[in-house]
Amino acid sequence: MPTRALALPYNISMIAHLRGTVLAKHPNQAIVETHGVGYDVAISVPTFSEMPAAGAEVALHIHTHVREDALSLYGFLRLAEKQLFENCSR
């Protein structure tokens, strides 16, 4: 019997939120460790400016972008910034 894909009325994201310890941060990238896994997250300049220093805890709203050859995470401190990013990338 063939299987059918489940059609949902909204976009499901693999990773939507990430809370952990900042291992490193740069103007366009942060490494956030959660339960022993370091996530490489692309960040905006406003998020970089407001993000705490290495060693502090951070919570990021995440947009997961899946392509055939890559899985990318984009992180934002403010939900409104994430929503703007998603609206502009459509």
Side-chain angles (χ1 to χ4, degrees):
M1 180 174 261
T3 59
R4 285 188 186 184
L6 180 60
L8 298 173
Y10 52 89
N11 185 12
I12 294 180
S13 180
M14 180 184 294
I15 299 171
H17 189 265
L18 188 62
R19 182 188 316 264
T21 304
V22 178
L23 294 182
K25 72 174 195 171
H26 306 283
N28 63 348
Q29 175 201 38
I31 307 297
V32 179
E33 181 181 11
T34 301
H35 299 291
V37 178
Y39 293 90
D40 185 349
V41 182
I43 58 173
S44 65
V45 172
T47 292
F48 169 76
S49 298
E50 296 179 33
M51 184 178 264
E57 184 174 300
V58 69
L60 295 172
H61 300 281
I62 300 291
H63 171 82
T64 304
H65 184 79
V66 180
R67 293 190 331 212
E68 190 174 298
D69 61 342
L71 186 138
S72 302
L73 303 178
Y74 296 87
F76 307 93
L77 286 174
R78 300 180 192 283
L79 183 57
E81 188 180 6
K82 176 189 174 196
Q83 291 168 337
L84 178 64
F85 173 83
E86 290 174 337
N87 287 336
C88 291
S89 63
R90 289 184 182 160

